[in-house]
Amino acid sequence: MIVREPAIAYGKQTMSIQEYLEFEKLSMDKHEYYRGEIFMMAGAMPRHNVVFKNVFREIASHLKGKSCQPYGSDLRINIPENTLFTYPDISIICGDIVTSDYDDDTATQPTVLIEILSRNTRDYDRGSKFKLYRDIPTLKEYILIDSENISIEAFSINQNNHWELMEYKTLEGSLRIPAIDFQLPLVEIYEGTKL
């Protein structure tokens, strides 16, 4: 969850990117950064963690020994085109990690981003965050997995450079991630969630 706390709570009206990165190194919590402001991210609920575990395990197994690799929410992503620094639930990066000009611990060129939705993040992840993510030139797919309902929205960029949506609403189907030639049954994604 992103808590839209005023940046002044951290002692300044706004922060430079370098100040944010220094602040983040010393912080026990994760924060997003956008155009000088920072926003605290809250921890995940149990069902969110179950979905993360299920999805990450299967993707990691599928990509073992391949050039694309998955990373969890400890990998910070920067979008130089709009200044956003964020921590997606799952990032898939193909090839070598290209780091930010500001920081060697921050990646810039993901191929697939996956966010696991909760009640408090759903609108932001679908709206403003997706708009910011679309500035990533290497991004091929953006996947939103709801942790409270059986619902997945998988956006992919087509040959005409337009985003297309595939929706999944029942446990019978399989989530397709063409960028990594992968399919995952929804029943496995939601295993252990009691949904």
Side-chain angles (χ1 to χ4, degrees), residues 59-70:
I59 290 174
S61 177
H62 172 74
L63 292 177
K64 187 174 181 180
K66 298 181 181 171
S67 63
C68 297
Q69 290 298 305

Side-chain angles (χ1 to χ4, degrees), residues 42-62:
M45 307 296 348
R47 194 178 283 155
H48 178 288
N49 288 319
V50 170
V51 171
F52 169 83
K53 171 191 60 94
N54 293 344
V55 173
F56 191 86
R57 177 187 63 222
E58 296 303 321
I59 290 174
S61 177
H62 172 74

Side-chain angles (χ1 to χ4, degrees), residues 54-120:
N54 293 344
V55 173
F56 191 86
R57 177 187 63 222
E58 296 303 321
I59 290 174
S61 177
H62 172 74
L63 292 177
K64 187 174 181 180
K66 298 181 181 171
S67 63
C68 297
Q69 290 298 305
Y71 300 87
S73 62
D74 284 336
L75 180 66
R76 185 171 48 232
I77 298 289
N78 172 231
I79 307 171
E81 292 79 4
N82 59 39
T83 76
L84 181 68
F85 283 80
T86 187
Y87 297 86
D89 289 313
I90 299 174
S91 304
I92 300 173
I93 295 177
C94 296
D96 294 333
I97 291 181
V98 176
T99 59
S100 166
D101 291 341
Y102 298 100
D103 179 67
D104 289 339
D105 296 328
T106 306
T108 60
Q109 297 184 2
T111 303
V112 179
L113 293 175
I114 300 173
E115 296 285 7
I116 300 166
L117 305 180
S118 65
R119 185 177 301 116
N120 296 321

Side-chain angles (χ1 to χ4, degrees), residues 3-194:
V3 179
R4 298 280 176 188
E5 295 181 25
I8 198 155
Y10 303 101
K12 291 191 67 165
Q13 194 71 24
T14 61
M15 286 189 183
S16 70
I17 289 174
Q18 287 298 344
E19 287 171 325
Y20 158 73
L21 292 170
E22 288 301 315
F23 174 83
E24 200 69 349
K25 283 179 188 173
L26 300 173
S27 177
M28 298 294 289
D29 300 309
K30 292 179 188 170
H31 301 84
E32 288 192 339
Y33 174 94
Y34 180 62
R35 293 188 175 172
E37 294 185 273
I38 63 170
F39 307 96
M40 181 184 282
M41 301 179 71
M45 307 296 348
R47 194 178 283 155
H48 178 288
N49 288 319
V50 170
V51 171
F52 169 83
K53 171 191 60 94
N54 293 344
V55 173
F56 191 86
R57 177 187 63 222
E58 296 303 321
I59 290 174
S61 177
H62 172 74
L63 292 177
K64 187 174 181 180
K66 298 181 181 171
S67 63
C68 297
Q69 290 298 305
Y71 300 87
S73 62
D74 284 336
L75 180 66
R76 185 171 48 232
I77 298 289
N78 172 231
I79 307 171
E81 292 79 4
N82 59 39
T83 76
L84 181 68
F85 283 80
T86 187
Y87 297 86
D89 289 313
I90 299 174
S91 304
I92 300 173
I93 295 177
C94 296
D96 294 333
I97 291 181
V98 176
T99 59
S100 166
D101 291 341
Y102 298 100
D103 179 67
D104 289 339
D105 296 328
T106 306
T108 60
Q109 297 184 2
T111 303
V112 179
L113 293 175
I114 300 173
E115 296 285 7
I116 300 166
L117 305 180
S118 65
R119 185 177 301 116
N120 296 321
T121 65
R122 183 178 288 114
D123 292 341
Y124 173 63
D125 287 342
R126 279 189 180 133
S128 301
K129 196 172 206 179
F130 184 30
K131 186 175 181 182
L132 294 171
Y133 280 168
R134 291 196 302 263
D135 286 339
I136 303 171
T138 57
L139 189 65
K140 303 292 183 217
E141 296 181 57
Y142 180 50
I143 299 165
L144 300 162
I145 303 174
D146 200 320
S147 66
E148 299 178 338
N149 301 289
I150 297 166
S151 177
I152 297 176
E153 297 166 293
F155 295 90
S156 59
I157 197 134
N158 67 20
Q159 297 165 338
N160 297 318
N161 214 29
H162 296 119
W163 287 93
E164 294 180 342
L165 169 63
M166 176 69 75
E167 290 187 274
Y168 303 85
K169 298 283 188 185
T170 68
L171 290 176
E172 282 74 47
S174 291
L175 170 64
R176 292 180 54 247
I177 308 178
I180 58 170
D181 191 27
F182 179 66
Q183 291 191 51
L184 179 59
L186 267 71
V187 71
E188 294 184 24
I189 292 172
Y190 287 102
E191 181 182 13
T193 63
K194 299 180 180 174

